[in-house]
Amino acid sequence: AGLGLLAWGFVRLRTQQLNAQALALEQEVANRTADYERVNAELKSANEELKLAAVTDALTGLRNRRFMQEQLGTLLSGINRRLRDPEQASKVCALILIDIDHFKQVNDTFGHERGDQVLVETARALESAARGEDYLLRWGGEEFVLVIPEIEPQYLRLVHERIHGAMAPVGEQCELGRAITLSMGIITLPWLKEKVDQREWEHSLEIADLGLYAVKAKGRNGSAMITVTTALQTHEDWSP
């Protein structure tokens, strides 16, 4: 009987030890799993921040060219999809190239820090004029791009007025003693109600740039709306 009690006591003690070890192991696994999940979440967050930083202009907080390149496939698909829908075919995508007038004079007269302030305040003004679904980009230097994915063409004049109106207080906000104005070149896609691709997008940027410089040549502070004609399209078809 004594041996039986001793054996039973040993088995009970061993069982308790094993249970304790199992609980400790489970806790260790849970701790390591929690650590792994925490580290994984931190890495995921860091990666998301890096991705966001790669497509964001550091000064203004606007998206940059790389962001537009990543979104271009979606944008062009939307344009082409509307072409196949009779109820949507009248809508266009507007590409607006924007340049701050006399920006070099701001830097030369007031310094680059004040120039940066002008860029930031211009970005805020453009944001106030844009819609949530639009793409507003810092294109480089004192140039910005506003892409309106979907709009009826007759409303583009209102966009022009809204943007120029939003700029009215910028000169005062930056304490320059004069207004800050914009020159803009505007073009719409698709051309001639035909399917668009990246080549047409790139040519549209070039044409909008020509419109912008036409405004500059006429005294700045305005917009040029470029309409693509059959003759221009034929010319573009000759290019390599």
Side-chain angles (χ1 to χ4, degrees):
L3 288 174
L5 288 172
L6 182 62
W8 178 82
F10 176 77
V11 170
R12 183 181 179 188
L13 178 61
R14 183 58 179 161
T15 299
Q16 290 174 340
Q17 290 175 337
L18 290 174
N19 287 339
Q21 290 175 356
L23 288 172
L25 182 59
E26 288 177 5
Q27 186 61 49
E28 179 66 19
V29 170
N31 290 340
R32 292 194 178 188
T33 300
D35 288 342
Y36 171 79
E37 291 176 348
R38 176 181 55 77
V39 171
N40 192 47
E42 290 175 353
L43 286 173
K44 184 177 180 180
S45 177
N47 285 334
E48 291 298 324
E49 288 178 5
L50 286 173
K51 288 180 182 179
L52 185 60
V55 296
T56 302
D57 174 60
L59 176 64
T60 64
L62 299 181
R63 297 294 182 256
N64 58 20
R65 287 184 184 227
R66 181 171 179 174
F67 174 83
M68 191 65 248
Q69 195 61 39
E70 291 180 358
Q71 300 297 317
L72 189 56
T74 300
L75 180 72
L76 299 182
S77 294
I79 297 170
N80 291 328
R81 185 171 57 253
R82 286 195 300 275
L83 282 173
R84 300 189 296 269
D85 183 349
E87 295 183 359
Q88 298 288 320
S90 64
K91 295 180 179 179
V92 297
C93 168
L95 168 59
I96 306 176
L97 188 60
I98 304 165
D99 187 87
I100 300 175
D101 295 328
H102 301 296
F103 183 72
K104 185 177 183 300
Q105 290 182 10
V106 173
N107 279 333
D108 291 346
T109 304
F110 299 97
H112 289 280
E113 185 174 342
R114 191 72 62 86
D116 286 349
Q117 185 185 1
V118 169
L119 290 170
V120 170
E121 294 298 338
T122 298
R124 300 293 82 80
L126 293 173
E127 281 182 319
S128 72
R131 305 172 306 176
E133 62 268 31
D134 298 338
Y135 299 123
L136 178 59
L137 317 162
R138 168 99 182 275
W139 207 239
E142 66 269 30
E143 282 193 339
F144 299 82
V145 164
L146 176 63
V147 180
I148 304 175
E150 185 176 327
I151 189 172
E152 294 286 354
Q154 64 267 28
Y155 296 130
L156 282 172
R157 179 175 288 275
L158 295 177
V159 174
H160 144 87
E161 293 172 355
R162 191 163 68 239
I163 290 174
H164 286 289
M167 289 298 297
V170 171
E172 183 178 345
Q173 289 168 345
C174 298
E175 299 178 348
L176 299 181
R178 66 174 180 83
I180 291 292
T181 61
L182 303 175
S183 295
M184 305 196 301
I186 306 171
I187 187 170
T188 61
L189 295 93
W191 298 358
L192 305 176
K193 301 298 180 182
E194 295 180 0
K195 184 178 179 181
V196 300
D197 55 21
Q198 183 164 344
R199 179 172 174 271
E200 185 170 321
W201 165 263
E202 291 169 353
H203 284 318
S204 294
L205 281 167
E206 294 169 358
I207 295 169
D209 195 45
L210 292 175
L212 186 154
Y213 277 96
V215 175
K216 295 280 189 184
K218 291 183 178 181
R220 298 175 170 84
N221 190 25
S223 304
M225 174 71 186
I226 309 298
T227 300
V228 176
T229 65
T230 303
L232 177 59
Q233 189 189 48
T234 302
H235 172 74
E236 292 294 344
D237 285 346
W238 295 341
S239 63

